[in-house]
Amino acid sequence: MMEVAFSGIQPTGDIHLGNYLGALRNWVRLQESFDAVYCIVDLHALTIPYDPETFATERLEAAKAVIAAGIDPDRSLLYYQSDVPAHAELGWLLGTMTSLGALNRMTQFKDKSDQAGEFLGLYAYPVLMAADILLYRANAVPVGEDQTQHLELTRDLAERFNQRYQEIFPLPEAIIPERGARVMSLKNPTSKMSKSDPSEASRVLMLDGPDTIVKKMGKAVTDSGTEIRYDWLEKPGISNLLEILSLFTDRSVDSLADEHAGTQYGVFKKTVADAVVEGLEPVRSRYAELDDVEVANLMVRNADRGRERAAPLQDEVMRAMGLRP
Ligand code: AMP
Ligand code: TRP
């Protein structure tokens, strides 16, 4: 039997270079060798302020963007989390085994609650994420580096369940790319590129047009000095750009740093912008060809497939916990 890969992305805010390089490219790659299940995690998105008026559109746009990035809906299962109630149910069941101590250690809760306030949904976010993954008995979870802590919690919960009730869950591994796992903000290269950064110039979006990409890259914060060198301590801005260039050209950062050592910052930024424009061109053109109604219909069909697929595991868990005869 093929191993299962599972991952999720929130449908709020536009997908940026960090999401693409840190996660989506691996989603696409894993389709080749895994039974891949990918989820638009709309329930997770409700844990920070959002607009219900535009949310349905944002969900559809996220689904289209994931397909445009290279997810083949004939090969992988792509669906909305809220269409499969077993996510929330298993989240509750796992919540009964999650200690507050473990949740208190989650750094993402600290970061997000500073902005969004301290709410139960945000606090329980990692438990729902564990449920997402375990519901499909996933072995591999392609994510960016910021999710490693959540993956550790998921493994702990799987182990606890296996010991306390019944050996049901494999322990899922995070699949984190060697480079691109933490793409930094273009405005502040010591913090990660993020959907929630108020500055739009801090991130290049996966679907940004060529002019926008060139403009944003041109304004990227670089470092004092004039030398192009891969050095995160002294030159985080340049190192971030080198890493992005490396990911779009399939060349090592060292050889790129050598080649551009004497290049002017402005010229270098244009080189990076051009590589990004070229690399994202297929994504942009696939997106433009997608039909809203067709994708919406696909997601309705996939809701059924998701529910069918989740049901047996959910049943097994319920029986193991004594909720079924
Ligand atoms: P989110 O936008 O929070 O739904 O994240 C979707 C995926 O993108 C997750 O796997 C994150 O780990 C990943 N991700 C988010 N921001 C970055 C970043 N700046 N660099 C690399 N990966 C990221
Ligand atoms: N927490 C992830 C993020 O912010 C999104 C997510 C939700 C997820 N459920 C998941 C990722 C399950 C991988 C597997 O990016």
Side-chain angles (χ1 to χ4, degrees):
M1 264 233 303
M2 247 180 167
E3 294 208 324
V4 176
F6 181 95
S7 196
I9 189 162
Q10 301 186 58
T12 33
D14 290 314
I15 292 176
H16 54 66
L17 222 45
N19 302 132
Y20 180 68
L21 297 173
L24 289 176
R25 289 224 305 197
N26 263 344
W27 292 25
V28 174
R29 197 171 57 82
L30 293 187
Q31 293 184 114
E32 304 295 328
S33 44
F34 284 82
D35 171 11
V37 182
Y38 296 128
C39 187
I40 309 293
V41 290
D42 49 7
L43 297 175
H44 277 112
L46 310 182
T47 60
I48 53 172
Y50 77 104
D51 182 358
E53 295 286 334
T54 56
F55 197 55
T57 310
E58 289 185 67
R59 288 162 87 233
L60 183 64
E61 279 169 2
K64 285 170 65 188
V66 166
I67 295 169
I71 295 309
D72 175 358
D74 290 328
R75 181 186 278 198
S76 307
L77 175 60
L78 175 69
Y79 67 100
Y80 298 123
Q81 185 184 34
S82 66
D83 280 336
V84 179
H87 286 264
E89 290 169 15
L90 183 58
W92 176 264
L93 300 176
L94 294 176
T96 63
M97 321 169 22
T98 311
S99 75
L100 298 191
L103 292 180
N104 289 336
R105 284 193 292 275
M106 296 291 132
T107 55
Q108 198 166 77
F109 175 74
K110 288 179 200 132
D111 296 343
K112 289 195 179 176
S113 59
D114 283 345
Q115 294 170 24
E118 298 189 336
F119 290 92
L120 178 60
L122 188 57
Y123 195 54
Y125 178 114
V127 185
L128 181 59
M129 177 164 161
D132 298 342
I133 296 167
L134 298 180
L135 193 56
Y136 294 89
R137 284 201 170 94
N139 310 94
V141 184
V143 283
E145 192 189 74
D146 58 352
Q147 299 301 314
T148 37
Q149 210 186 17
H150 292 160
L151 252 297
E152 276 160 30
L153 178 76
T154 303
R155 292 165 61 90
D156 287 347
L157 287 173
E159 248 176 338
R160 190 163 309 153
F161 187 100
N162 288 347
Q163 277 169 13
R164 191 178 294 178
Y165 298 106
Q166 195 184 313
E167 189 82 26
I168 290 184
F169 299 118
L171 301 188
E173 300 276 351
I175 307 288
I176 294 173
E178 209 171 299
R179 291 205 192 285
R182 191 173 165 81
V183 176
M184 306 311 269
S185 155
L186 299 180
K187 284 285 142 192
N188 175 9
T190 53
S191 62
K192 69 168 183 179
M193 188 176 283
S194 151
K195 286 176 179 170
S196 58
D197 192 318
S199 161
E200 284 184 21
S202 70
R203 54 187 173 268
V204 165
L205 303 183
M206 186 179 77
L207 296 169
D208 271 344
D211 295 347
T212 310
I213 294 176
V214 170
K215 212 176 290 167
K216 285 179 178 172
M217 279 294 175
K219 288 196 201 139
V221 168
T222 38
D223 319 283
S224 59
T226 53
E227 195 196 352
I228 308 273
R229 181 154 50 87
Y230 190 60
D231 175 349
W232 278 104
L233 268 182
E234 300 280 330
K235 294 187 163 276
I238 291 294
S239 300
N240 193 34
L241 295 182
L242 272 170
E243 204 159 293
I244 292 170
L245 182 59
S246 147
L247 286 158
F248 279 105
T249 54
D250 265 334
R251 291 184 47 195
S252 75
V253 279
D254 292 334
S255 83
L256 290 167
D258 281 349
E259 181 184 327
H260 292 283
T263 310
Q264 280 183 347
Y265 280 177
V267 176
F268 177 64
K269 288 199 265 187
K270 180 68 168 54
T271 303
V272 179
D274 289 344
V276 174
V277 167
E278 195 189 317
L280 290 177
E281 207 288 316
V283 178
R284 253 191 329 275
S285 57
R286 266 196 301 268
Y287 189 86
E289 279 166 19
L290 288 169
D291 180 73
D292 284 6
V293 177
E294 267 175 39
V295 176
N297 288 338
L298 169 82
M299 296 305 276
V300 172
R301 290 195 301 277
N302 285 0
D304 282 333
R305 287 176 60 199
R307 282 189 291 265
E308 270 166 35
R309 192 163 159 166
L313 186 274
Q314 183 69 353
D315 224 51
E316 212 177 316
V317 167
M318 298 272 225
R319 256 183 286 124
M321 293 182 80
L323 291 161
R324 296 282 181 276

